[in-house]
Amino acid sequence: MTTFVEVVPALVSTSDEDMFAALYAEHFGRLSGYALSLIGDRNAATDVATEAFTRLFSRWGKVRDPRAWVCFVATSLALEPCRPTTLALSP
């Protein structure tokens, strides 16, 4: 299995979009499967993976480790409904 770190040197002469596309092609399925293991709903898992990659693309030049970052975001998105809501304190 090739990792993103191994792919980057081969893609140095390509555009940012090509580098992003390579990362997406290699990891979207795995990320979607990971999200599915967290939330148990295939459609929601695909939405989580899509949103994570969308957020990554908008920050592409600022993220040091894109693969780790997209996994972190997917985890946060998948677990978001599990977080307790803040209760308003009554006066």
Side-chain angles (χ1 to χ4, degrees):
M1 173 170 83
T2 305
T3 65
F4 182 71
V5 173
E6 295 166 337
V7 171
V8 170
L11 298 174
V12 169
S13 63
T14 61
S15 69
D16 286 344
E17 290 84 5
D18 291 339
M19 288 173 35
F20 179 83
L23 178 72
Y24 181 90
E26 184 174 348
H27 294 288
F28 183 84
R30 287 183 222 157
L31 188 64
S32 182
Y34 169 66
L36 177 60
S37 74
L38 294 175
I39 57 181
D41 180 302
R42 187 170 305 280
N43 291 329
T46 300
D47 290 346
V48 163
T50 300
E51 180 63 22
F53 272 102
T54 300
R55 291 182 185 191
L56 173 63
F57 187 75
S58 70
R59 293 167 180 77
W60 183 252
K62 300 172 188 158
V63 175
R64 193 171 77 197
D65 185 348
R67 184 177 167 272
W69 193 89
V70 80
C71 288
F72 173 78
V73 171
T75 302
S76 295
L77 290 169
L79 298 178
E80 192 170 86
C82 299
R83 292 189 185 118
T85 57
T86 305
L87 300 174
L89 298 175
S90 47

